[in-house]
């Protein structure tokens, strides 16, 4: 049996998404920047997708800038905030994805900004009082905090953070790569958020495509220079097939959101119950075991240290279960991640991140638990 429990790293493409992309792959070859019939046809496909995505987010189409995925969207938000919005100081946490963490470190090393890390508690939650205190003394600040952590799943109270940012006049960017299309985002309600990042392959869309939401109240300049694509914000011929796939994946996600959420949450609870009953000495990293305060697609399990610890992931792979030891870039290597270090998790205990999708089944969870029981007996 082969089991895929690494959906936070990437998801399988939905067959309806694939079907929606085929006609564009076949016939949508016109360059969207060309003014002739074929070009206009491609351009209108892209603009239709942008309008559709904007409808899901209750924002205007001009606030959606297509990118090559989440990494580019995060880079774009941070670099544009510093280059164009007068940001001199960035507040972030030590448990952000490297798309944010390495970008802000680089900007600091270039002498462009000061950097402050907001406190994170042992459960992985951001200390909002500390954030408030930091912002009270520092104008021209960008706050970059992820909506859900990709390793432990902790959820940020995004609206509350946006209110704190507004109170102090800070720009707010949130990496929503793990939550977009898993939760609703009404940007008329979340009107104090300036930037959000999205990546299609996290919700059964194609890889290599995503977008950055840019609130129309902020005016930024081109991020990638070249042609005048994406309203002059990002040069480069658009990934039209990817954009169509992204739009379709979002349609499917948002038309069945509650149903998918309930189903996936029930799988997560089922796995927690099963693990608690079968293996002694496990716990859940951060607040991963708490359904109210963590992403329903992620369960980060801390296992007792034994002689098999270092080979746990490897053994799971041999038994046919694909899961992860941390973030995608450290898959396969069961080393302590910056997130687990950031919440001061014990370094001698192996961690496995199991992540689910609407295609995951109870049988797959049973099989996975059985494999773990075999390894721990
Ligand atoms: N941000 C988070 C929280 C992620 O989980 C990921 C992917 O692992 C990214 C950003 C990067 O997204 P992409 O793979 O589309 O570049």
């Amino acid at each position: 049996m082969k089991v895929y429990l690494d959906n936070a790293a990437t998801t399988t493409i939905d067959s309806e998404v694939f079907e929606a992309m085929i006609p564009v792959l076949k016939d949508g070859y016109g360059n969207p920047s060309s003014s002739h019939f074929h070009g206009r046809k491609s351009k209108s496909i892209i603009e239709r997708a942008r309008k559709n995505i904007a409808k899901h987010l209750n924002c205007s189409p001009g606030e959606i800038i297509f990118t090559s995925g989440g990494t580019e969207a995060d880079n774009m938000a941070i670099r544009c905030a510093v280059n164009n919005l007068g940001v001199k100081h960035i507040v972030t946490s030590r448990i952000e994805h490297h798309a944010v963490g390495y970008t802000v470190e680089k900007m600091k090393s270039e002498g462009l900004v000061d950097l402050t890390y907001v406190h994170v508690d042992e459960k992985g939650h951001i200390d909002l009082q500390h954030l408030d205190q930091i912002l009270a003394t520092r104008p021209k600040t960008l706050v970059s905090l992820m909506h859900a952590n990709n390793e432990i799943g902790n959820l940020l109270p995004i609206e509350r953070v946006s209110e704190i940012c507004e109170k102090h006049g800070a720009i707010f960017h949130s990496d929503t790569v793990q939550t977009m299309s898993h939760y609703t985002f009404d940007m008329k309600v979340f009107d104090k958020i300036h930037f959000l990042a999205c990546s299609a392959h996290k919700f059964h869309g194609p890889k290599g495509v995503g977008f950055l939401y840019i609130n129309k109240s902020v005016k930024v300049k081109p991020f990638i220079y070249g042609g005048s694509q994406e309203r002059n914000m990002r040069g480069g011929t658009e990934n039209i097939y990817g954009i169509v796939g992204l739009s379709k994946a979002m349609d499917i996600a948002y038309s069945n959101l509650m149903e998918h959420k309930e189903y996936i949450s029930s799988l997560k609870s089922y796995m927690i119950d099963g693990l608690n009953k079968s293996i002694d000495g496990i716990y859940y990293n951060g607040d991963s075991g708490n359904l109210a305060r963590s992403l329903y697609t992620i369960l980060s399990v801390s296992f007792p240290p034994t002689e098999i610890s270092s080979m746990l992931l490897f053994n799971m792979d041999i038994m046919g279960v694909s899961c992860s030891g941390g973030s995608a870039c450290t898959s396969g290597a069961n080393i302590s991640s910056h997130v687990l270090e950031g919440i001061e998790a014990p370094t001698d205990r192996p961690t496995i991140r199991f992540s689910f999708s609407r295609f995951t089944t109870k049988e797959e969870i049973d099989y996975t638990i059985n494999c773990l029981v075999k390894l721990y007996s």
Side-chain angles (χ1 to χ4, degrees):
M1 185 167 185
K2 292 283 179 216
V3 174
Y4 185 73
L5 290 182
D6 203 12
N7 289 281
T10 195
T11 55
T12 173
I13 198 157
D14 189 299
S15 56
E16 280 186 60
V17 171
F18 178 66
E19 294 296 331
M21 289 169 70
I22 291 173
V24 196
L25 279 157
K26 279 186 181 156
D27 298 324
Y29 55 87
N31 189 319
S33 297
S34 303
S35 55
H36 50 58
F37 167 79
H38 291 85
R40 290 197 309 276
K41 191 171 145 195
S42 293
K43 180 87 180 155
S44 83
I45 290 172
I46 292 174
E47 293 316 314
R48 219 178 309 137
R50 196 190 312 277
K51 225 169 146 179
N52 186 46
I53 292 165
K55 186 190 77 200
H56 287 303
L57 267 60
N58 197 18
C59 67
S60 71
E63 294 177 305
I64 303 294
I65 303 293
F66 290 118
T67 65
S68 63
T71 303
E72 186 187 323
D74 284 334
N75 272 262
M76 185 173 184
I78 295 164
R79 290 229 168 240
C80 286
V82 174
N83 293 341
N84 314 137
L85 303 176
V87 163
K88 296 276 176 249
H89 174 228
I90 298 179
V91 179
T92 189
S93 82
R94 294 210 183 267
I95 62 170
E96 299 300 307
H97 189 274
H98 291 319
V100 167
Y102 287 165
T103 306
V104 298
E105 276 173 28
K106 181 80 177 95
M107 303 217 76
K108 182 181 161 61
S109 75
E110 288 169 5
L112 296 169
V113 291
D114 293 333
L115 198 53
T116 305
Y117 291 99
V118 64
H119 296 157
V120 177
D121 70 18
E122 75 289 351
K123 292 275 183 196
H125 296 299
I126 302 293
D127 181 342
L128 298 185
Q129 238 179 327
H130 186 220
L131 178 66
D132 195 39
Q133 282 161 10
I134 299 169
L135 294 181
T137 57
R138 293 296 303 255
K140 297 191 172 167
T141 293
L142 166 72
V143 173
S144 182
L145 292 171
M146 67 205 309
H147 187 203
N149 188 277
N150 54 300
E151 293 191 37
I152 54 177
N154 285 57
L155 282 170
L156 180 80
I158 195 168
E159 207 177 348
R160 180 76 197 103
V161 171
S162 75
E163 285 161 3
I164 297 172
C165 290
E166 192 194 40
K167 181 173 131 192
H168 299 291
I171 301 289
F172 180 33
H173 160 245
S174 187
D175 177 339
T176 44
V177 166
Q178 290 290 341
T179 51
M180 189 69 75
S181 295
H182 294 287
Y183 293 85
T184 51
F185 290 86
D186 183 335
M187 301 319 292
K188 297 276 181 305
V189 175
F190 291 175
D191 60 343
K192 300 170 190 69
I193 300 176
H194 300 97
F195 299 103
L196 293 179
C198 170
S199 176
H201 74 98
K202 305 292 185 181
F203 51 95
H204 308 292
K207 291 171 180 55
V209 66
F211 64 81
L212 178 68
Y213 160 84
I214 308 180
N215 188 306
K216 57 173 153 331
S217 67
V218 290
K219 299 282 169 260
V220 291
K221 297 206 171 99
F223 176 63
I224 293 179
Y225 286 87
S228 58
Q229 291 91 350
E230 293 304 288
R231 291 167 173 76
N232 226 358
M233 283 293 299
R234 181 194 187 258
T237 303
E238 299 88 336
N239 174 2
I240 175 169
Y241 332 106
I243 289 169
V244 166
L246 159 62
S247 172
K248 183 68 183 176
M250 207 170 229
D251 279 348
I252 298 168
Y254 279 124
S255 53
N256 303 286
L257 191 86
M258 285 320 289
E259 189 191 316
H260 293 159
K261 188 174 176 200
E262 271 172 35
Y263 174 67
I264 300 168
S265 301
S266 76
L267 289 178
K268 178 167 167 173
S269 299
Y270 183 73
M271 183 150 193
I272 292 174
D273 287 349
L275 286 171
N276 289 348
K277 277 185 209 138
S278 356
I279 302 170
D280 289 335
I282 56 158
Y283 62 76
Y284 304 98
N285 291 304
D287 230 356
S288 186
N290 175 354
L291 266 101
R293 297 191 74 186
S294 71
L295 186 54
Y296 54 93
T297 51
I298 289 180
L299 183 64
S300 175
V301 189
S302 175
F303 290 90
T306 64
E307 61 283 359
I308 60 146
S309 288
S310 61
M311 300 297 279
L312 196 53
L313 264 189
F314 178 73
N315 282 318
M316 291 301 280
D317 188 20
I318 299 283
M319 293 164 110
V321 182
S322 296
C323 45
S324 162
S327 61
C329 56
T330 55
S331 281
N334 201 5
I335 51 167
S336 180
S337 74
H338 70 287
V339 174
L340 296 176
E341 275 168 19
I343 59 167
E344 296 178 11
T347 50
D348 62 333
R349 293 176 61 95
T351 280
I352 297 187
R353 177 190 69 179
F354 298 103
S355 46
F356 320 106
S357 82
R358 61 178 183 262
F359 298 112
T360 308
T361 63
K362 266 191 174 173
E363 289 67 36
E364 290 174 320
I365 306 270
D366 288 338
Y367 179 79
T368 303
I369 295 175
N370 279 338
C371 292
L372 290 163
V373 168
K374 274 189 201 140
L375 291 172
Y376 270 92
S377 57

